[in-house]
Amino acid sequence: MRIEVRDIVFGYTKGKKVLDGVSLSIEAGERVALVGPSGCGKSTLSQIIAGALKPESGEVLFAGKSLPRRGFCPIQLIRQHPEKAVNPRWKLGRTLAEAWAPDDSFLAAMGIEKAWLDRYPAELSGGELQRFCIARALAPETRFIIADEISTMLDVITQAQLWELLLHAASSRGLGILAVTHSERLAAHVSSRIIDFTPHMP
Amino acid sequence: MYGKGFSQHLLKTISNLNIGVREGEILAVAGSSGSGKSLLAHAALGILPKNAVIEGGMAWRGAPLDAALHKRLRGREIALVPQSVAYLDPLIRVGRQISNDSQTVGRLFARYHLKPGTEKLFPHELSGGMTRRVMICAALAGGPKLVIADEPTPGLTPHLAEHAMRHFREIADGGAGVILITHDIDLAVRHADRIAVLYAGTAAEVADASDFADAALLRHPYSKALWAAMPQNGFVAAAGAQPYAGELPPGCLYAPRCPECSPECMAAPPQPRSVRGGEVSCCNAH
Amino acid sequence: MKRLNRRTAAAIGSAAMLAIVLAIYIGGAMIPDSALQADFSQRGLAPSATHLFGTDFLGRDMFARTVKGLSLSLAVGAAASAMAAIIALAVGVAAAMGRSAVDHAANWFVDLFMSVPHTVLIILIAIALDRGAAGMMLGIALTHWTGLARVIRGEVLQIRAQQYITASRGFGKGSLWIARRHILPHVAPQFLIGLVLLFPHAIMHESGLTFLGFGLPPEQPAIGIILSESMKYISSGMVWLAVFPGLSLAALVLLIDRLGNTARRLFEPREAQL
């Protein structure tokens, strides 16, 4: 069940390509880091691989087939700003339940306190919200996690905490991880293979 | 702030905070979100909201820094380099936003390698790097003695971030004090002279940036935990989280997470004291 | 006494304003026709303790007529703004959620209806539908949905692009589910407030057109009828016939407008700094 990305082309405005023929592959259970400066199209590529954005051309294959158009996506994307990734009008328990129904021991392992389930996103810190985003992405159907700068806006201790629990969950369940980051040091810590993603910058 | 329903209560977001910045230095104020670093910047600029309750005081070159003095200094001797392009008026040519005096504009632009003619452009016609330099010029136009840079690097490529930091170093070398507000301890270590580590609204430690070379040089357990969590230093995560304003522990704010916590830490907040050339708020620091 | 904070004050204010509006509506509906009978012994009396707003040329109590008229205006206004708001919701959501052809068509219709002067269009529709309350309501509804439709379209477009919507699709949720759970609750306050703010417009148009003779028929106790009848008597010194009903209408319209704006600040505290 590997991910194969073939010849992805994408541009937000006509004539200006953000991604121009990108190909890569990730094996099941593999940890890969995608490193490059901000603005190079890493986030765009992450969204395309997770099926959140349609490329102009090229394809993303999961286990040899294109991603299902309906149903739970086995490639889950976690993004940089958790406060944007949750509905501000929903309590976090509901946000979590939208994805799946984790049990108490899973929540404890994620460092999520039960009281937080009854709170609104504005009542939690970025690091706490990101725990929810990680937890809901770790549904039973998930096979790959794309972590797009998930700790960039957080302090180093919180960053280390989040990666610790993500890596632990991934290794115990054999999930593959694509870590997208601008930090080579972080990449070296969380992955076994680094893809340098510095395309033709202007 | 507002609580549940219609109740309104006072939140103690900053407490026992003592920080000074000297001429010619970059002081990094490093802290996670909720540590009070933005409030500190707003206080230094004198733009706290009207409903803020403030105890204690600030001083500017020996004189008490009150509202009247703030009004006189702000935008001239105290200047802000904002986070984002949104601070430039999109409908006014950038030259006029910096200063009405074209000589000043020309001089600043030359110093920051902005081509003649840039002053005639509108903000949307600038590239990211140019925008940043224009905002620095805007801050410098009044000849400030104190420059406050609020998270100046997120969203910049490493190359541009290095550039921006070099500009701040130049400003400091020109004799002004620079306060660099950031959540990125790595950036602070690389570019600041001194670092104030903020935790839950209080300064845990103010240390020379060079002290971050080794955990043994640091004084506060929280600074040491920050050090250990940096990827290059082992990526070790300390347990726990920063307490919320409103749910602060009675004694030392770090006590619940502190590996060296002693009974006296729980009793009363530690007073800042000098240890090995740095300021630290910890009973056990030595 | 503890000082009220702004949000509590706004909530109490809204409740009070709503109570006044409801009192006028219910009070007007409860006034029996007998109270509006002509009584020639009481003709043309100036305002006094027994007749707060005076009496008219047939000896009818002007206060009762005014309340009755405002009550009728409220009913017509409520129906008209509800119709307008529902059209706006349907068009706005369809434009934002549908294909670009739907969006183009919706925008074209919005522009079309905005380009025709309201008053003229309402008069045409009202006359085409035999000048009754129904024509009036339809006319007002068809001319007043455009602004709110644009607001709702913008809201939905903005929310549809949110990351949590994308995430929701990733969890296998369909468009209908997302529209019901994520989007509609977000638009609901906008919708309700838009509805309340349409209200004063609707009332003004109703009374204005009725005054001009294009609206409700003369046998209805409408505020526009009162005002237009009263105009004839102003020159003969019976100023109160026009002044009090007119001021009451203005006060009611201002009150509802104020209610809408206060409610908006309650629902969207962050934007309104409350």
Side-chain angles (χ1 to χ4, degrees), chain B residues 2-8 51, chain C residues 4-8 11 266 274:
Chain B
Y2 284 104
K4 287 239 156 56
F6 294 111
S7 68
Q8 206 173 10
N51 59 358
Chain C
L4 294 173
N5 67 44
R6 279 177 293 176
R7 218 158 74 176
T8 317
L266 269 179
L274 197 76

